[in-house]
Amino acid sequence: MCFFVFATLLAVAGYAQSGCGLFSVSKDKQVRFALGNLEYDSINGYSFTAHQYDYGGYFGWGTGGNPTLTSTDRRDYLSFDDWGSHIGSGWRTLTWDEWCYVIWFRADASAKRGAATVCGVHGMVLLPDIWNGGTFNAGFDNGYSTNVYDASSWSDMEAAGAVFLPAAGYRYGSEVYDVDASGGYWQSTPLSEFYAYRMYFGDYGVGRDDDYDRCSGRSVRLVQDI
């Protein structure tokens, strides 16, 4: 059903389809996540990864209009240009409050997040507000072995609306670190002139930073409002 209902949400120019699952980002708003992290290259421009477990690109905060910027000078990241506005079809980046709501404050939030390994890639699974899918173990008690899915079992999870955020690590300057060990995802909310908020996780759990350096290259997972 998901494929037929939302086939029209396939973005032009190869952008990823929205997921089926609905995720509350406030008490009166829901979104659908893109089925892949954002990536960019000079030939094809912006696109989403082919699979949710692909790492995607590493972007400095707010670099929608300048996606290849790798400067470590904080003065180069003074304003937020949403990556979603360069794709169209209503894509956008979650705010600080919205990420917090998905992870910590929606109904049964703690039962809808957990560490996982999907097709050999470490990361975190988020379940939609209503879950009628396969087996899922909440939390991080067993690190990335808490949930293990091969291609077939993950396909079933994805069809039921689950989201997987790969532990892509981060970029600083031109170097990439911590790949497959931790994940960090930008939010659209600034904190101060040089710092912004991010959601992060590792095999130990999930957290949030309120003073993260904007020049760090992090993952981006966009959403569409319902």
Side-chain angles (χ1 to χ4, degrees), residues 33 64 120 159 198 209 217:
F33 281 88
R198 64 152 186 163
D209 279 337

Side-chain angles (χ1 to χ4, degrees), residues 21-25 29-30 106-108 112 127-131:
L22 303 183
F23 294 78
S24 290
V25 294
K29 180 186 289 187
Q30 290 180 308
R106 62 185 172 131
D108 300 319
K112 295 172 180 172
L127 299 185
D129 292 349
I130 298 174
W131 179 245

Side-chain angles (χ1 to χ4, degrees), residues 24 57 78 116 134 141 150 171 192 199 202:
S24 290
L78 297 180
D141 289 347
D150 60 15
R171 176 187 53 73
S192 61
M199 181 276 292

